[in-house]
Amino acid sequence: MKQTYITEEEQKKCRKVAEAFRELEDVDVVVVDVGRYGFVKLQYYTPPRGFENDFTFTDSRELFEDLWEEWLHTQLITFAKEMGTGDIDYDEIFNRLTEEKRNELMGRKKDFAEIAGIEAR
């Protein structure tokens, strides 16, 4: 059962997670603290309509994993552009990277987890 309101403890944890991934704001992803309702991830801003997607979180682990995936995908899209590839899925782009680059990307998850105060999985 999904929790309707966020606990004070989870709110503090979610705030740290959102702060750890603040750089995502550069790619139209914004995380907003909406008080007792949790945190909302807003994506793909287009004027005058506003944000195309919104997702609400009351669990810091779920927020962390979602933002981690978002960050990783933005990196892979950048690499795909650099490689001159078009319609390739994320797994294929990841597999085309050097082992060193793949390890570097996956190591960032641990860095984000440390900043957010969450155990990396």
Side-chain angles (χ1 to χ4, degrees):
M1 182 172 145
K2 188 146 177 102
Q3 187 173 330
T4 305
Y5 299 112
I6 192 168
T7 65
E8 286 183 32
E9 181 181 343
E10 277 302 305
Q11 190 174 31
K12 289 176 187 174
K13 290 178 183 179
C14 284
R15 195 171 290 123
K16 285 183 77 172
V17 170
E19 186 60 37
F21 287 97
R22 181 157 311 270
E23 70 186 67
L24 285 172
E25 289 181 9
D26 295 338
V27 291
D28 279 345
V29 176
V30 179
V31 179
V32 181
D33 180 346
V34 291
R36 68 185 188 138
Y37 300 102
F39 283 71
V40 176
K41 179 180 86 168
L42 303 167
Q43 280 183 289
Y44 311 126
Y45 182 80
T46 56
R49 299 181 79 206
F51 288 95
E52 297 291 323
N53 294 337
D54 61 89
F55 305 92
T56 304
F57 297 87
T58 57
D59 179 270
S60 57
R61 169 58 61 190
E62 288 178 14
L63 178 60
F64 179 85
E65 292 299 334
D66 185 86
L67 293 177
W68 161 249
E69 288 291 321
E70 195 68 48
W71 182 87
L72 182 59
H73 290 167
T74 62
Q75 301 306 304
L76 293 175
I77 289 167
T78 300
F79 291 130
K81 287 178 184 175
E82 290 172 2
M83 289 186 250
T85 57
D87 298 330
I88 297 178
D89 69 24
Y90 295 122
D91 290 335
E92 190 172 336
I93 296 166
F94 187 80
N95 290 331
R96 285 187 179 193
L97 298 174
T98 64
E99 184 176 350
E100 180 181 349
K101 195 60 168 172
R102 287 192 303 259
N103 290 337
E104 180 184 325
L105 284 174
M106 297 313 291
R108 286 298 309 272
K109 185 174 187 177
K110 184 177 179 184
D111 297 340
F112 284 121
E114 199 170 288
I115 293 167
I118 290 209
E119 186 178 324
R121 292 185 183 164

